[in-house]
Amino acid sequence: MDQSVPPSVVEAHRPEQAPVDHPAVAREKIGVLVANLGTPDDTDYWSMRRYLSEFLSDQRVVDYPRWLWQPLLQLIILSRRPFASGAAYRSIWNTDKDESPLLTITRSQSEKLSTRLRAELGDSIEVSFGMRYGNPSTDKALKELEEKGCRRILFFPLYPQYGSPTTATACDQFFRQLMKRKWQPSVRTVPAYFDEPGYIEALAASVSERLENETHQPSVVVASYHGVPKRFLEEGDPYYCQCRKTTRLLRERLGQAEDEVVTAFQSKFGPEEWVGPATVDKVAELARQGHKSIAVLSPAFSADCVETLEEIEEEIRDAFMEAGGEHFIYIPCLNDRDDHIAVLADIVKRELGGWI
């Protein structure tokens, strides 16, 4: 390669009909930017405080007036919460890579998606991933795609159900980064895929495979979604309804009765009323009703994270066992399963219609 070409510009060439002294540019490609929620860089107090401050200062997540919320957040909540959150993250931390499981899994998803798309569509497709909060940032992922010559970018928030504190804030951040560009790429965003047949099929397969050789078969499967304030539903956020539909479609695919696959919501934060029932209360109620074995899965999470590996596997498990339950089974998220990657690839190909 010509040594005058910057190393970040791959497959560089001189544009057709350009003068001989025109700088080399990257060949035009299509980019896919996969986005997830985010992760702290470490589990110490200051790393956790930076991450939580960014997360909880997002008005898509906590939409109280800033004059009221910020003093409470900065002076009270963030003086204590980083310790508890750091302990939760330490209990699940990927010590081999020194990073959170969410980062490990999202990277693997991105790499596998890239391999599959390139095999099917050729090397004109580039895949990168970024986080709404923390690192690698959405801006960094966007820069990587731009440097590889991507003038068309498909933004893919990995949230099956649309929610304003998840999908919307990820899109907000993506478009904020575009506002900085002198030359903006053409962009598209991927819609929610909560009722995508392949997604439902992959969920059902994950349940069947996990329970196939289980000695104590669950009498109830709980689909636990991250909760939102009830007010969000009343203000038009479709998240709650999409979660309920995902559960219904999964139940129908599994051939189970209505009371055998149920919906619940976890991770309540703050004083106001949230959509329910709360998972921690629901599993305790099931135990008191005589259900000795239950299974829990998290259809709203595309990758296992602190809310699944710590909250479900510890807090929610403990609530079930303390109320008289005996066998608690956690069914992992779809993560980088081959059938999950195949679903994501099919969605990408559909959303790239007219571009490829």
Side-chain angles (χ1 to χ4, degrees):
M1 180 184 290
D2 183 346
Q3 294 303 307
S4 64
V5 177
S8 61
V9 179
V10 293
E11 301 178 34
H13 73 298
R14 181 167 57 85
E16 189 176 346
Q17 298 180 340
V20 294
D21 61 347
H22 192 285
V25 296
R27 295 188 182 277
E28 188 169 316
K29 294 185 176 184
I30 295 171
V32 178
L33 202 170
V34 172
N36 215 320
L37 184 73
T39 171
D41 295 325
D42 210 327
T43 61
D44 62 277
Y45 174 84
W46 290 108
S47 296
M48 291 304 311
R49 184 176 178 118
R50 282 193 301 273
Y51 173 71
L52 290 171
S53 180
E54 183 182 11
F55 175 49
L56 295 175
S57 294
D58 184 351
Q59 288 209 292
R60 288 284 195 181
V61 176
V62 182
D63 61 355
Y64 301 146
R66 288 187 179 278
W67 64 267
L68 173 66
W69 175 243
Q70 280 300 313
L72 179 63
L73 174 64
Q74 300 298 330
L75 299 177
I76 299 177
I77 295 173
L78 291 180
S79 67
R80 296 174 299 182
R81 190 173 175 118
F83 293 109
S85 295
Y89 270 96
R90 279 192 293 277
S91 72
I92 63 158
W93 202 249
N94 182 343
T95 53
D96 290 339
K97 293 182 178 293
D98 192 24
E99 62 188 27
S100 74
L102 177 67
L103 178 54
T104 303
I105 294 166
T106 306
R107 181 189 298 109
S108 180
Q109 290 171 327
S110 177
E111 291 171 350
K112 288 189 173 184
L113 180 60
S114 176
T115 298
R116 190 177 187 98
L117 290 174
R118 281 175 166 260
E120 296 181 11
L121 303 177
D123 60 5
S124 63
I125 302 292
E126 295 286 348
V127 179
S128 186
F129 75 96
M131 301 294 182
R132 168 60 184 90
Y133 316 104
N135 296 302
S137 67
T138 302
D139 186 42
K140 181 177 183 293
L142 183 55
K143 286 177 180 176
E144 287 179 358
L145 294 176
E146 289 173 325
E147 288 175 352
K148 292 177 179 178
C150 297
R151 298 305 313 153
R152 299 180 182 187
I153 294 177
L154 179 69
F155 184 65
F156 195 163
L158 287 184
Y159 309 112
Q161 298 79 18
Y162 175 96
S164 55
T166 51
T167 312
T169 191
C171 290
D172 289 346
Q173 185 72 351
F174 176 58
F175 287 111
R176 269 193 291 268
Q177 302 313 313
L178 290 177
M179 289 171 65
K180 302 176 183 178
R181 269 65 182 173
K182 289 292 189 293
W183 186 10
Q184 292 182 334
S186 298
V187 300
R188 294 176 178 174
T189 61
V190 175
Y193 54 100
F194 63 99
D195 56 356
E196 185 79 20
Y199 162 67
I200 300 299
E201 188 67 31
L203 281 179
S206 73
V207 173
S208 298
E209 291 169 17
R210 174 64 182 83
L211 300 181
E212 183 178 9
N213 298 314
E214 185 62 43
T215 303
H216 303 281
Q217 287 292 314
S219 53
V220 177
V221 173
V222 179
S224 180
Y225 301 82
H226 197 292
V228 293
K230 187 176 181 181
R231 171 172 53 86
F232 285 23
L233 169 64
E234 295 166 347
E235 292 172 351
D237 190 315
Y239 177 76
Y240 173 82
C241 298
Q242 292 184 0
C243 292
R244 301 284 300 192
K245 185 172 183 180
T246 294
T247 301
R248 176 176 63 79
L249 293 174
L250 173 62
R251 183 180 69 245
E252 291 171 354
R253 174 61 186 80
L254 292 171
Q256 300 295 313
E258 245 184 85
D259 59 352
E260 292 176 328
V261 182
V262 299
T263 299
F265 297 88
Q266 64 186 82
S267 309
K268 183 181 185 298
F269 176 81
E272 65 181 303
E273 182 181 3
W274 279 39
V275 295
T279 305
V280 68
D281 296 332
K282 183 65 178 178
V283 299
E285 177 189 342
L286 290 171
R288 289 192 292 268
Q289 290 174 347
H291 295 277
K292 298 302 182 183
S293 178
I294 66 169
V296 178
L297 77 158
S298 301
F301 297 93
S302 63
D304 275 306
C305 54
V306 70
E307 284 87 354
T308 64
L309 299 176
E310 193 276 336
E311 185 178 358
I312 290 179
E313 281 279 54
E314 296 182 23
E315 177 186 350
I316 291 170
R317 175 191 291 271
D318 289 348
F320 176 69
M321 302 300 279
E322 290 170 5
E326 296 178 1
H327 305 285
F328 184 97
I329 305 161
Y330 175 62
I331 300 168
C333 294
L334 294 179
N335 295 328
D336 61 354
R337 289 171 54 105
D338 289 343
D339 52 1
H340 187 208
I341 301 302
V343 172
L344 300 182
D346 287 344
I347 293 172
V348 167
K349 287 184 290 184
R350 181 180 68 216
E351 296 303 319
L352 289 180
W355 281 6
I356 55 174

